[in-house]
Amino acid sequence: MTKPAKQLDYHTIHEIFTRFAASDPEPKGELNHVNAYTLVVAVALSAQATDVGVNKATEKLFKIADTPEKMLALGEDGLIEHIKTIGLYRNKAKNVMKLSQILADDYDGQVPSSRAALVSLPGVGRKTANVVLNMWWHYPAQAVDTHIFRVGNRTGICPGKNVDVVERAIEDNIPVEFQHHAHHWLILHGRYVCKARKPVCANCIIRDLCIFEDKNYE
């Protein structure tokens, strides 16, 4: 487990995100979707799975089932045929069908834009809700995954003993002008540079600001 670091000061954090913004002004999530509904489904399917694997599974699925009503018409067995390459696909299929039914019955087929309503849906937790709020409605919600948890603690940007503490640290310590894209910058940095087993510190644009002791320059 990553050892929690000390909290960086405001000026250092501001410089870190200034560099992230200069390097990638409009970072994007890597899950393919065509509307709010398919985003909810894609994020729900991505639990304990890779974005690449989910995108492969949903490429054909979202062409025929991009609304709750169409998903219900496809049926659970039909959905399973599309997502059976994804881990935990049977349980995920059940949740997708249940949340689709709720959206069709209670929300006129539309995805609600409140966190409370989103997390009430089967298979949708706080992380999924925050991804949808951020990516679809551009609300500065912070979806903390394993990459953000690792980067936040290694660097001192947003340290915490659990994801809830890290989420609060992002909200409290990252300047507001960077809040909208913060979680995407952190996820992408953790996925491609600050990797779990072998970080690519030689290619890191914030290596001089990061307080991680075990830097790797190979």
Side-chain angles (χ1 to χ4, degrees):
M1 180 178 176
T2 303
K3 182 180 179 180
K6 66 178 182 180
Q7 175 70 56
L8 291 177
D9 62 77
Y10 172 85
H11 296 290
T12 303
I13 293 175
H14 193 283
E15 175 60 23
I16 285 172
F17 282 90
T18 297
R19 295 183 189 183
F20 283 154
S23 176
D24 187 4
E26 294 291 332
K28 304 294 183 184
E30 297 183 319
L31 282 173
N32 294 335
H33 59 283
V34 297
N35 54 29
Y37 171 70
T38 54
L39 178 58
V40 171
V41 173
V43 180
L45 293 176
S46 71
Q48 300 182 49
T50 66
D51 288 0
V52 172
V54 173
N55 288 340
K56 287 181 179 179
T58 59
E59 182 178 3
K60 293 181 179 179
L61 172 65
F62 290 160
K63 291 179 180 178
I64 60 173
D66 59 356
T67 68
E69 293 80 7
K70 291 178 182 178
M71 189 68 75
L72 292 169
L74 178 64
E76 187 173 324
D77 290 340
L79 172 58
I80 285 174
E81 283 302 308
H82 285 87
I83 68 169
K84 60 186 178 182
T85 56
I86 300 174
L88 306 175
Y89 69 90
R90 291 192 183 278
N91 188 57
K92 290 177 181 179
K94 292 182 184 298
N95 284 333
V96 168
M97 300 311 293
K98 289 178 181 177
L99 73 83
S100 297
Q101 191 69 62
I102 292 171
L103 291 176
D105 292 344
D106 299 342
Y107 295 96
D108 296 322
Q110 302 300 307
V111 175
S113 58
S114 82
R115 184 184 287 116
L118 285 167
V119 298
S120 71
L121 299 172
V124 176
R126 186 179 180 87
K127 174 189 165 186
T128 297
N130 282 349
V131 171
V132 176
L133 291 172
N134 183 285
M135 290 181 64
W136 193 256
W137 283 286
H138 309 297
Y139 180 78
Q142 308 301 333
V144 179
D145 68 351
T146 56
H147 296 301
I148 292 181
F149 186 79
R150 178 175 67 254
V151 172
N153 279 289
R154 272 183 178 174
T155 62
I157 294 172
C158 44
K161 62 183 180 180
N162 57 53
V163 294
D164 293 333
V165 176
V166 170
E167 181 181 331
R168 178 58 62 85
I170 294 174
E171 295 173 346
D172 288 349
N173 297 299
I174 294 176
V176 68
E177 62 265 36
F178 302 118
Q179 287 279 332
H180 179 209
H181 292 311
H183 94 277
H184 279 133
W185 282 317
L186 292 170
I187 287 172
L188 294 172
H189 190 67
R191 184 172 289 166
Y192 298 111
V193 180
C194 196
K195 300 178 182 180
R197 294 187 178 180
K198 195 173 182 179
V200 192
C201 299
N203 296 338
C204 178
I205 62 174
I206 64 167
R207 60 182 177 271
D208 59 315
L209 303 174
C210 170
I211 61 176
F212 182 49
E213 295 178 355
D214 300 323
K215 290 187 174 69
N216 171 39
Y217 292 106
E218 293 180 3

